[in-house]
Amino acid sequence: MILRHLTKHVKDQNWFAVGLDFVIVVTGVFVGLQVGNWNAAAQNRAKEAVVLEQLAVEFSSAVDLAKEARANSDMRLDATRDVLRVIREGTEPEDKAAFLKTLGYAGSLDSGPSEPVTLVELVSAGGLSDLSSPELRTALIRYHETAVQQAELASLILSRVSSPHDGFHDAIYVNPDYPASSDILLDRYDWELIPATRQQFQVILYGKLGLSYGIEEQIVRGEAVLAEIEKARK
């Protein structure tokens, strides 16, 4: 319709009408683009609001779990120190049941919570750039780096704890009924072989110190993420 009018006005050399038609066409295109941009922006804001809600829920849980893991990690770290002190003193503890429990804690670890699923998806899909807050993006990247380092360290320590030829598994006997009919992991230990576990427990101690530091970083950086999420929602 507009094109037919424009052609007629050109033939009639009605330049005022031609100019008016041109303004109408340009204005219509501009308005159409703006409406499209507004719709796209609204959709992006709605999508980001959903992502922020998911991140808030998952990071709240991750921080709580990390605080629990810190307590468990400290307990296992103290148990590892206790075993090394016993080995250094060279005397079997009188309370053998308590020492058996200490060995169980010393031979286990807690690396903290897994990385939040939504963050993993954002990183793998390149979706971090879609978040409007640069501060939130930075906080999420820092948390991701900590989580990756923590997982790598935990894997190294677990391989050392699980090594069948490093002394620990020669000195202890795992309860074959655990956990089906007993909550006690270790059945007994061989005191004569305990001193040979010194090197292994020393390496484990180094690793657990790193894990404890990593869990603390997860808490600090997780809380930083939550603070940036709260700002981004305003």
Side-chain angles (χ1 to χ4, degrees):
M1 180 68 72
I2 291 293
L3 182 59
R4 186 164 66 244
H5 285 172
L6 181 61
T7 302
K8 181 178 183 302
H9 292 153
V10 170
K11 287 180 180 179
D12 295 342
Q13 296 187 354
N14 187 347
W15 303 119
F16 175 78
V18 170
L20 185 60
D21 288 342
F22 180 76
V23 170
I24 292 173
V25 170
V26 171
T27 301
V29 171
F30 176 77
V31 170
L33 290 174
Q34 283 298 103
V35 170
N37 290 337
W38 291 332
N39 288 337
Q43 291 174 358
N44 289 337
R45 287 194 298 270
K47 180 180 178 181
E48 182 173 7
V50 172
V51 172
L52 291 177
E53 177 63 24
Q54 292 172 333
L55 287 172
V57 171
E58 292 178 14
F59 269 92
S60 294
S61 176
V63 169
D64 289 342
L65 290 173
K67 290 178 179 178
E68 293 179 11
R70 178 175 57 187
N72 291 330
S73 180
D74 289 345
M75 178 181 64
R76 287 168 170 76
L77 184 59
D78 289 342
T80 306
R81 290 193 178 103
D82 289 342
V83 169
L84 286 171
R85 291 190 185 101
V86 167
I87 292 174
R88 182 181 60 191
E89 293 167 1
T91 302
E92 182 179 9
E94 293 184 5
D95 191 338
K96 296 178 176 58
F99 184 58
L100 183 64
K101 183 179 292 187
T102 299
L103 283 171
Y105 288 134
S108 60
L109 59 92
D110 194 328
S111 60
S114 300
E115 189 172 3
V117 174
T118 300
L119 177 55
V120 173
E121 292 175 347
L122 287 173
V123 171
S124 61
L128 284 177
S129 59
D130 295 333
L131 298 176
S132 58
S133 169
E135 293 80 11
L136 176 56
R137 293 197 299 269
T138 299
L140 288 170
I141 290 171
R142 287 176 176 170
Y143 186 93
H144 171 68
E145 291 172 346
T146 298
V148 170
Q149 293 170 0
Q150 190 77 345
E152 291 174 350
L153 179 57
S155 178
L156 287 173
I157 300 173
L158 182 61
S159 67
R160 193 60 192 261
V161 171
S162 304
S163 176
H165 305 298
D166 249 350
F168 179 63
H169 291 283
D170 290 330
I172 58 97
Y173 294 81
V174 175
N175 182 1
D177 297 324
Y178 178 85
S181 59
S182 173
D183 60 354
I184 300 175
L185 175 60
L186 301 186
D187 185 63
R188 57 191 174 88
Y189 65 88
D190 187 334
W191 171 250
E192 297 300 322
L193 297 178
I194 290 295
T197 66
R198 180 184 60 82
Q199 184 183 36
Q200 185 178 14
F201 276 118
Q202 285 181 168
V203 174
I204 292 172
L205 178 65
Y206 299 148
K208 286 184 177 181
L209 287 169
L211 284 179
S212 291
Y213 173 78
I215 292 173
E216 187 62 36
E217 280 294 292
Q218 284 182 305
I219 295 172
V220 172
R221 294 190 173 187
E223 290 177 338
V225 168
L226 289 171
E228 293 303 332
I229 290 173
E230 190 64 26
K231 292 177 185 178
R233 282 171 154 178
K234 294 179 179 179

